[in-house]
């Protein structure tokens, strides 16, 4: 499915069901170099997926990464070449959201990456608590 003009993944499950005997057994999908701008829950139909290539698309929000947290076996993910790659905290956010990853963007996840992700999560959590307190005070 790479190098096409796919814009959304909504029809993914019916298409794969017609091509594959057991779609739930799929462990690797390559949707690189398409025009995907959002992820949906259709990817969660592949609980055994270990590798997902999404590089070279149009994903703009880090919130899209949160949808992938429902893939417990995911170990390799590519997102480089998407607009979200340029956002502050991109790598620590992805690794903090998907702690089972061993590779991100064809680069091994290091101990330092893990530490940065943990610090990023703590910092973001602290900012959210402060923001909630501020709103409650208003």
């Amino acid at each position: 499915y790479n190098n096409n003009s796919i814009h959304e993944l909504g029809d993914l499950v019916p298409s794969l069901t017609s091509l594959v005997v057991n779609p739930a057994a799929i462990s690797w999908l390559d949707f690189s170099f398409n025009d995907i701008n959002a992820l949906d829950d259709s990817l969660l139909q592949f609980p055994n997926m270990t590798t997902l290539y999404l590089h070279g698309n149009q994903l703009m929000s880090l919130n899209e990464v949160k949808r992938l947290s429902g893939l417990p076996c995911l170990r390799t993910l590519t997102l480089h070449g998407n607009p979200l790659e340029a956002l502050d905290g991109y790598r620590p956010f992805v690794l903090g959201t998907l702690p089972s990853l061993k590779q991100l963007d064809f680069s091994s996840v290091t101990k330092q990456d893990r530490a940065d992700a943990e610090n990023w999560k703590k910092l973001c959590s602290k900012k959210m608590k402060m923001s909630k307190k501020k709103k409650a005070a208003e």
Side-chain angles (χ1 to χ4, degrees):
Y1 289 109
N2 67 329
N3 290 302
N4 290 293
S5 295
I6 297 172
H7 296 281
E8 58 185 51
L9 299 174
D11 295 329
L12 173 68
V13 174
S15 297
L16 286 175
T17 302
S18 68
L19 297 172
V20 180
V21 175
N22 184 7
I26 291 174
S27 64
W28 182 83
L29 286 172
D30 184 348
F31 290 108
S32 60
F33 302 108
N34 280 289
D35 292 319
I36 299 167
N37 60 19
L39 301 177
D40 60 37
D41 292 339
S42 64
L43 288 173
L44 301 181
Q45 301 298 310
F46 309 103
N48 296 309
M49 188 170 346
T50 61
T51 302
L52 180 59
Y53 292 162
L54 291 167
H55 54 279
N57 279 286
Q58 296 302 314
L59 297 170
M60 295 185 187
S61 171
L62 289 172
N63 284 328
E64 297 300 325
V65 174
K66 291 179 183 178
R67 293 182 180 272
L68 301 176
S69 63
L71 297 172
C73 297
L74 191 62
R75 300 294 180 264
T76 301
L77 175 66
T78 62
L79 292 168
H80 62 280
N82 282 281
L84 62 74
E85 181 185 24
L87 298 174
D88 285 341
Y90 159 74
R91 189 169 178 90
F93 178 86
V94 173
L95 296 175
T97 303
L98 306 171
S100 65
L101 288 180
K102 303 290 183 206
Q103 280 196 331
L104 176 60
D105 297 334
F106 298 117
S107 175
S108 293
V109 176
T110 65
K111 288 180 183 179
Q112 185 62 52
D113 287 331
R114 296 268 180 234
D116 291 347
E118 190 60 35
N119 289 336
W120 181 260
K121 281 177 76 171
K122 287 177 185 175
L123 179 66
C124 290
S125 176
K126 193 176 207 180
K127 283 183 180 180
M128 287 182 67
K129 287 179 185 176
M130 291 173 59
S131 177
K132 286 179 183 178
K133 284 182 182 179
K134 185 177 177 182
K135 285 181 183 179
E138 293 174 351

